[in-house]
Amino acid sequence: MGAKQSKRNFKMSEIVHPTTNPSPMPSATHSSGGSSGANWKMSADGRIYHNVESSAYILPQDEEEQDRLNSQHFAAKALSNGNMLASVVEALPQEAKILDIGCGSGSWVMDVAIDNPCTHITGIDIADIFPAIIRPKNADFKLVNVLDGLPFPDATFDFVHMRLLIVAFRINEWDKVIDEIYRVLKPGGLIQLVESQYTDTEQSPKIHRFVSAHVLSLMADKHQDPLIGSKLEGKVIAHGFELMQKERIRIPFSNPQNAVYAELLWGWGNAMKALKQALAPRLCPDNESDYDQILNEYLKDCADFGWVVYIWSVAGRKPLTV
C-alpha cells in the first residue's frame, strides 16, 4: 500500500529535541568534520561558502541560504502538487526507509516525515545547515559528501530522493552518484530525481547576456551540465532502473498573478545575488559594484518578457531481481 501524504496539522509530539548540543552554524574557520572534511570560508560580502576541493557546488551555506532553500522547497512542492511523484506515492511502502541526498535546510525531509509518520527519513548534505534541535522524531540528518560515496550498506533504503543539484555535480560525477543510489536501494526500491533547466534565453538581450554569456559560462568552466534535467530519463534507464514516470513542468515568469512563479523567481534572484563574487568579474569587470543594477534589470526582463525555466522529474524502480 502506498504511503499517504496526509493533511493533518503539525503537532509538538511529532518532534524530537536531542539532548546533545546542536551543531554550530558554519563560520569562516569552522570545520564540520565527517567524511566531507568540510572547511568554510567567508566572502567579502559576508556570505559563507564551503571550501571542499572535491565539490563543485558554488552556492553559499549560511542562514540566508537556508531561507532561500526553504522557500524553494515549498514553491517546488506547490508546483508539483506534492513532494513525490504519483507513481512513488502509490508504490512506497508504509514503513519505508528513505534517503534524501543534498537535503540542504532539511525542508523536504521534515515535510515528508510529518506527512508519513511510519517512515524513517535520513537527509544528508555536505553542509550542516539542516535542523539540529527540533525535527520530526522519524527524521535524522548526517553530514556526508556524496562524492565520497554513501556511508550505508547495500540494499538499505526503499526510496532515494535527490533534487536540484545541478550546480553540485560535475558532468562526470552524475553516473557515480546514480550508481551509489542503485547500490543502497533495496530490490524494488524507488528513485526520484528532479532538476531544473534554464537554457532558453532568447526572450531579451539582457536575459541572454546574463544567463547564456555568464551563468552558463560559469557552469561550463566548472564542468557542470546545464542540460542534465533533460538527460535524467536516459541516465535512470542506463543505470538499470525501470522507468515509472517522467514529467516536465514549464515555468513562464511573465505571470505576476502566480504566487508560486513569483516565489521561484525571488529564489532565483537570491541565488544570483549569492553568486556575485563569481559573476561580477564576468559581467562588469571594470566596476563590480554595477552587479546589483545589472541583476535587477535582468530580473525585471524575466518578468516583462516571460523568461522560461523547465523542471524535469523522473521516477524509477530498481528491479526485484538483479
Side-chain angles (χ1 to χ4, degrees):
M1 181 177 179
K4 304 301 182 185
Q5 297 190 39
S6 68
K7 295 181 180 179
R8 58 192 177 81
N9 294 328
F10 181 88
K11 298 177 181 178
M12 287 302 293
S13 61
E14 295 168 327
I15 61 178
V16 61
H17 299 259
T19 56
T20 55
N21 292 328
S23 301
M25 284 299 296
S27 67
T29 59
H30 171 57
S31 175
S32 300
S35 63
S36 67
N39 295 309
W40 304 96
K41 60 182 180 180
M42 185 176 293
S43 69
D45 59 0
R47 301 301 300 272
I48 300 169
Y49 299 80
H50 78 77
N51 190 24
V52 182
E53 290 186 4
S54 65
S55 175
Y57 191 66
I58 54 179
L59 288 167
Q61 316 286 348
D62 52 24
E63 291 187 12
E64 193 171 341
E65 178 67 359
Q66 282 181 308
D67 290 341
R68 187 191 71 82
L69 291 173
N70 290 336
S71 167
Q72 175 181 271
H73 164 71
F74 289 106
K77 179 182 178 181
L79 191 68
S80 302
N81 297 311
N83 288 309
M84 294 177 265
L85 292 171
S87 60
V88 174
V89 174
E90 182 64 27
L92 191 67
Q94 188 173 10
E95 298 183 357
K97 292 185 67 177
I98 301 172
L99 176 66
D100 184 27
I101 297 175
C103 67
S105 61
S107 296
W108 188 92
V109 171
M110 304 262 284
D111 211 9
V112 173
I114 292 167
D115 281 350
N116 301 276
C118 293
T119 64
H120 187 276
I121 309 177
T122 298
I124 63 170
D125 202 282
I126 195 173
D128 53 352
I129 60 172
F130 33 73
I133 300 176
I134 300 177
R135 60 177 183 263
K137 59 186 178 182
N138 59 326
D140 71 283
F141 298 93
K142 298 182 184 297
L143 191 67
V144 173
N145 182 353
V146 65
L147 297 178
D148 294 339
L150 293 172
F152 307 104
D154 294 357
T156 296
F157 296 99
D158 297 286
F159 174 38
V160 176
H161 172 263
M162 190 168 72
R163 181 176 70 179
L164 301 179
L165 295 183
I166 187 171
V167 295
F169 302 141
R170 301 175 181 90
I171 293 171
N172 63 352
E173 292 168 344
W174 282 93
D175 290 330
K176 175 182 178 181
V177 172
I178 297 174
D179 274 342
E180 276 291 276
I181 293 173
Y182 191 94
R183 180 185 67 79
V184 301
L185 275 172
K186 299 175 183 178
L190 309 170
I191 181 176
Q192 178 175 303
L193 305 178
V194 181
E195 289 301 334
S196 59
Q197 183 172 325
Y198 34 82
T199 54
D200 183 359
T201 65
E202 301 307 315
Q203 293 83 3
S204 85
K206 289 179 181 177
I207 292 174
H208 180 78
R209 179 192 177 208
F210 194 97
V211 179
S212 291
H214 299 290
V215 175
L216 299 183
S217 174
L218 175 63
M219 292 182 68
D221 288 349
K222 291 186 170 291
H223 307 289
Q224 296 167 333
D225 188 353
L227 298 174
I228 190 62
S230 61
K231 300 175 182 178
L232 293 178
E233 177 186 354
K235 286 195 172 293
V236 164
I237 294 171
H239 284 267
F241 291 97
E242 301 165 354
L243 185 67
M244 298 169 60
Q245 186 177 350
K246 60 181 179 180
E247 179 179 275
R248 188 190 76 164
I249 298 176
R250 181 177 183 271
I251 307 171
F253 285 120
S254 59
N255 184 357
Q257 304 303 315
N258 190 308
V260 175
Y261 295 170
E263 190 74 6
L264 287 169
L265 186 58
W266 175 87
W268 173 263
N270 274 269
M272 295 304 100
K273 289 179 183 176
L275 292 180
K276 180 176 181 177
Q277 65 174 4
L279 291 176
R282 296 167 179 263
L283 279 159
C284 42
D286 296 329
N287 188 358
E288 294 185 13
S289 63
D290 290 340
Y291 180 80
D292 291 343
Q293 180 180 344
I294 294 172
L295 173 59
N296 289 335
E297 291 175 354
Y298 152 68
L299 292 172
K300 184 177 185 299
D301 269 24
C302 288
D304 289 347
F305 294 94
W307 185 46
V308 175
V309 171
Y310 296 95
I311 301 292
W312 298 79
S313 303
V314 299
R317 186 197 308 268
K318 183 176 179 177
L320 286 170
T321 56
V322 294

